[in-house]
Amino acid sequence: IVGVSASIGSVWAGSMIALQSIWYSENKSATFQFFDDSKNWLGMDKAGHIYTAYQLNRLSSDLYQWSGVPQKKSAWLGFGISMGYQTTLEILDGFSTTWGWSWADFGANIIGSSLYTGQEIVWKEQRILPKFSYHPTDFAAIRPSVLGSTFSESLLKDYNGQTYWLSFSPRSFFPHWDIPKWACLSFGYSAHE
């Protein structure tokens, strides 16, 4: 458990230092500010926050379970790490001249982390899985400074090519029905067709 905690802490600190020098260094503000982006980008940013918070929780929880921590405790540790990491990013946004602390982002982080932890506590398994897909669009070539000039930048910045999914297997809810384990229903949300 000490090794896992030290590894998570190192990645957390290292990524924050890197983001501070790469992403936030040009936009530092002396004062903390708020920014209401709840109506921007057709909610794609919020879907991304939900997905990211869920995945951070899942990864942290899996690492703690691997190290021998019980499932329920691992889920709560993952929740704390996911929320702590995402909140650190929101604080950095709050001291940025370009952005600010977003209550909508914070709420989306809570939803994503709660989606994982809630399922672990109630069902002891993940029945509803958030998923992500991306396809390149022509928009990035028009505004590369905003939507990315490389594939990896566009993957993160070009909301037009992103789709966020909620996926579940009906069999996980109805185990006695004659439904194959691989059968899955998915509902997606995107900003562009």
Side-chain angles (χ1 to χ4, degrees):
I1 188 169
V2 173
V4 168
S5 297
S7 297
I8 290 172
S10 297
V11 169
W12 185 335
S15 65
M16 289 302 152
I17 291 167
L19 281 170
Q20 180 64 30
S21 65
I22 295 169
W23 190 279
Y24 294 100
S25 62
E26 297 174 11
N27 300 310
K28 283 185 181 178
S29 172
T31 59
F32 189 83
Q33 62 187 8
F34 293 92
F35 181 64
D36 181 10
D37 63 348
S38 60
K39 295 180 177 76
N40 295 0
W41 309 292
L42 297 174
M44 291 301 293
D45 176 53
K46 305 310 160 244
H49 276 268
I50 291 169
Y51 177 81
T52 302
Y54 176 94
Q55 296 301 337
L56 285 170
N57 194 338
R58 180 190 60 79
L59 178 61
S60 301
S61 296
D62 286 352
L63 287 170
Y64 278 111
Q65 282 189 47
W66 172 81
S67 72
V69 176
Q71 181 181 22
K72 187 175 180 180
K73 186 174 181 182
S74 293
W76 282 114
L77 285 167
F79 181 89
I81 290 165
S82 175
M83 286 304 301
Y85 188 87
Q86 296 286 85
T87 301
T88 305
L89 290 174
E90 280 308 309
I91 291 169
L92 291 174
D93 279 355
F95 284 104
S96 167
T97 57
T98 309
W99 306 287
W101 172 280
S102 167
W103 284 108
D105 287 354
F106 186 72
N109 296 338
I110 292 171
I111 291 169
S113 293
S114 297
L115 179 61
Y116 182 87
T117 301
Q119 292 184 85
E120 286 296 299
I121 290 168
V122 173
W123 296 318
K124 296 182 178 45
E125 66 180 353
Q126 297 298 297
R127 294 183 183 181
I128 302 169
L129 303 172
K131 296 182 179 180
F132 170 81
S133 62
Y134 173 77
H135 67 278
T137 69
D138 295 332
F139 299 113
I142 298 168
R143 294 195 67 198
S145 62
V146 174
L147 303 177
S149 58
T150 65
F151 178 83
S152 56
E153 282 182 353
S154 294
L155 177 72
L156 296 174
K157 293 180 174 183
D158 187 2
Y159 296 130
N160 303 292
Q162 298 176 355
T163 304
Y164 292 93
W165 305 85
L166 283 180
S167 184
F168 69 95
S169 169
R171 184 171 179 152
S172 66
F173 290 98
F174 307 103
H176 301 299
W177 289 15
D178 191 23
I179 301 171
K181 287 182 180 180
W182 52 263
C184 188
L185 295 175
S186 298
F187 299 93
Y189 179 71
S190 64
H192 186 69
E193 298 175 0

